[in-house]
Amino acid sequence: MSHASPLGPTLETERLILRPTAMEDFDRWCDFQGDAETTKFIGGARSPAEVWRVMMSVAGAWALSGEGFFSVIEKLTGQWIGRIGPWNPHGWPGPEVGWSLHRDAMGKGYALEAAVATMDYAFDVLGWQDVIHSIAPANVASQQLAARLGSTNRGPGKLPPPFEGSTVDLWGQTKAEWALNRARFAG
């Protein structure tokens, strides 16, 4: 199911609600982004002031471009558990579906569930023909998720400033490949 808010759509899966960022997400987002371990592959821990700016950028992306990170909400508890989304910043190596979860949400299959819904959204609603995932070579968990989605490692990628020092591999797949890979998640 999907419906739109003033900033963007809301998607629902069996266990999750994916919706645009809201101010009520701030405390959990701060907790997530303040954790050096969960953020080591996405720029490191951030202060609440930095998190506030990131949240405003994400909300602005939805308002200005119609794409951005969804806040991932666990239906059972109503708790913010991470962010995932169709993201295509200026100078990025391609349109990306990227993900990051709060430490207490890892290992429950939430990333896969949210990623499948987001891949569908990117291809079916946004009309993207290709999706990448920028993944650090040491980020085995994200590599495994990309592979489960059917994405393949296309080799080293280059990110724009201020991330030009980040080492990433670009994983991805085309819309046609997703049409075949998506069948694994039907039902």
Side-chain angles (χ1 to χ4, degrees), residues 67 86-88 92-97 118-119 121-124 126-133 150-152 154 170-178:
E67 54 197 44
W87 187 241
N88 195 11
W92 216 246
E96 178 167 17
V97 168
T118 304
M119 295 285 285
Y121 182 80
F123 287 127
D124 298 343
L126 296 177
W128 290 0
Q129 297 302 304
D130 192 72
V131 162
I132 65 165
H133 320 290
S151 293
T152 58
R154 298 174 174 175
L170 299 179
W171 289 68
Q173 62 185 294
T174 65
K175 183 176 184 174
E177 290 168 332
W178 178 244

Side-chain angles (χ1 to χ4, degrees), residues 6-7 20-21 52-69 87:
L7 288 181
T21 300
W52 185 88
R53 286 191 288 282
V54 168
M55 283 183 56
M56 294 302 126
S57 293
V58 169
W62 278 112
L64 295 175
S65 70
E67 54 197 44
F69 285 111
W87 187 241

Side-chain angles (χ1 to χ4, degrees), residues 31-86:
D31 189 46
F32 155 73
Q33 289 236 241
D35 183 339
E37 183 63 26
T38 60
T39 60
K40 69 182 173 185
F41 299 119
I42 58 169
R46 296 178 187 257
S47 70
E50 292 170 309
V51 172
W52 185 88
R53 286 191 288 282
V54 168
M55 283 183 56
M56 294 302 126
S57 293
V58 169
W62 278 112
L64 295 175
S65 70
E67 54 197 44
F69 285 111
F70 290 107
S71 279
V72 182
I73 310 300
E74 185 181 45
K75 280 185 180 179
L76 186 62
T77 64
Q79 183 164 263
W80 185 97
I81 60 168
R83 63 182 192 178
I84 185 168

